[in-house]
């Protein structure tokens, strides 16, 4: 029988890519997630054992780890706001105890590469502490420490990509001249898979990095060369604090300030591997570790081919609304507002569905672009994801995908798309789009429902303040989707 491994953080960037690598290596995989419905639509969904559990709940996570040989701990509260250190500490302690009691033979954790200094950034300090907690669990543990991960869709890569592409000339913080040892995501995954076979007497931290040590300035210049862009003008200044730097990054890139800040704070330190002992247990490939330029080229090819398996936005946003749709059984009641619109479309249901499934991102929302842009900017300023988060794939959606400042809550291919708002609003909001056969052969009915459950008086005032614009925004959106579907339909 195949050895059973458990993967937490399976809806995140690394976890979602690790699962198919483990399956290819012959392991049986138990995918642990709070909401396993978010695994539907993944290419490997039918090959794994989904298990619903919260890693912070002792009973749930202990049950999830029963019979498991190797447990991958890929959980952290990056960009989750205040008190994230306490949350990370509590969850790691719970997981460590559960793994010991369940008889897990090895824990594998991916943390952050950090220098041996006292004043680490809060993010790196927390990642270091989690590694120490797991190493003290009594279960043999592998802690892998990586700096910038190079791969299509990673937050670090996206930050570098957009800064370089959008700014031919820039003034930057002095940390652009700090040395960094980036690593390709494929090498990270190889180390993670290989760690499952370490002997039981090995329980320690390993630094992992690519074959080159570069400054962030050099990384941006080499990215520009790989992308066919002119050499960038980069002038370092000393007046940008990590907080100001993160706001600057959030204005230029899709990465919102709450996520940009811990990434920037990590770059303030020099992050270079102190050893390469991992090669004793997971040997380097015959061709060597992937160089920076090749990692960038492969990532850009994935983006160009719309073949990005996971993205930084795949992970859940801590604190984002996750309540059930009001029509679900379990709804607690209260005030509920709806804006419902239905129209007949002279196009097939397939043509209409194609339009619905490609909403957002570069395609936009088919109505009053300025209003959507302003709403995105307001959300960005207030700490939300804004519109620039975009999409993982331009034409296909899975449950759990981010679409600008929405999250896909339900997909019934060819019939229904339900989006849950992750924008900052005083309440809970959904946008439901469905298509069905029309009144005449060859036509369709497009139904669009906006649902809002306000929180208190502020929520009530919010709804009535935006209600006058619904005809322009939602009405225009429906007319735009109808026109697009009819335009792409072949004349009979």
């Amino acid at each position: 029988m195949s050895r059973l491994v458990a993967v937490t953080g399976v809806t995140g960037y690394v976890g979602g890519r690790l699962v198919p690598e483990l399956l290819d290596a012959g392991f049986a995989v138990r995918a642990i997630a709070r909401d396993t419905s978010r695994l539907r639509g993944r290419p490997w969904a039918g090959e794994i054992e989904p298990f619903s559990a919260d890693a912070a709940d002792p009973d749930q996570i202990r049950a999830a780890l029963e019979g498991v040989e190797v447990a991958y701990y890929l959980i952290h509260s990056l960009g989750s706001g205040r008190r994230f250190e306490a949350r990370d500490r509590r969850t790691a302690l719970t997981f460590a105890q559960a793994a010991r009691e369940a008889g897990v033979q090895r824990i594998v954790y991916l943390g952050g590469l950090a220098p041996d200094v006292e004043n680490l950034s809060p993010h790196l300090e927390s990642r270091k502490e989690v590694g120490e907690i797991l190493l003290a669990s009594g279960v043999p543990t592998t802690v892998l420490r990586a700096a910038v991960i190079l791969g299509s869709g990673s937050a670090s890569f996206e930050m570098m990509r957009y800064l370089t592409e959008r700014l031919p000339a820039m003034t930057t913080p002095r940390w652009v001249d700090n040395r960094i040892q980036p690593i390709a995501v494929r090498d990270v995954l190889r180390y993670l898979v290989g760690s499952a076979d370490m002997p039981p007497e090995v329980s320690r931290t390993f630094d992992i990095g690519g074959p080159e040590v570069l400054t962030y300035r050099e990384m941006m210049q080499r990215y520009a060369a790989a992308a066919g862009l002119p050499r960038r003008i980069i002038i370092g200044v000393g007046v940008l604090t990590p907080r100001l730097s993160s706001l600057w990054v959030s204005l230029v890139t899709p990465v919102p300030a709450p996520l940009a800040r811990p990434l920037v704070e990590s770059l303030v330190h020099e992050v270079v591997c102190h050893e390469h002992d991992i090669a004793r247990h997971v040997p380097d490939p015959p061709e060597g570790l992937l160089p920076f330029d090749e990692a960038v080229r492969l990532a850009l090819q994935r983006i160009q081919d719309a073949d990005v398996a996971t993205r930084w936005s795949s992970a859940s946003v801590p604190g984002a609304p996750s309540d059930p749709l009001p029509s679900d059984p379990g709804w607690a009641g209260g005030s509920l507002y709806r804006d419902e619109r239905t129209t007949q479309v002279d196009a097939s249901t397939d043509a209409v569905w194609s339009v619905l499934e490609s909403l957002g991102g570069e395609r936009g929302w088919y109505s009053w672009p300025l209003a959507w842009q302003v709403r995105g900017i307001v959300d960005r300023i207030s700490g939300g994801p804004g519109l620039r988060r975009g999409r993982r794939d331009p034409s296909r959606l899975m449950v759990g995908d981010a679409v600008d400042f929405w999250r896909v809550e339900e997909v019934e291919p060819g019939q229904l798309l339900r989006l849950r708002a992750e924008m900052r609003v005083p309440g809970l909001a959904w946008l439901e789009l469905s298509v069905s056969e029309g009144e005449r052969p060859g036509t369709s009915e497009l139904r669009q429902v906006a649902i809002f459950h306000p929180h208190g008086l502020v929520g009530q005032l919010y709804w009535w303040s935006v209600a006058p614009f619904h005809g322009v925004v939602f009405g225009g959106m429906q007319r735009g989707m109808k026109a697009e579907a009819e335009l792409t339909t072949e004349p009979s």
Side-chain angles (χ1 to χ4, degrees), residues 3-4 66 69 81 115 197 210 220 243 273 279 300 340 476 485:
R3 298 159 62 195
L4 179 62
E66 286 293 335
E69 181 176 326
D197 291 319
M220 287 193 288
R243 180 177 180 277
C273 295
L300 290 176
E340 185 168 347

Side-chain angles (χ1 to χ4, degrees), residues 199-215:
E201 65 270 16
V202 176
S203 185
R204 54 163 289 188
T205 293
F206 295 93
D207 292 352
I208 58 173
E212 299 167 274
V213 176
L214 305 165
T215 66

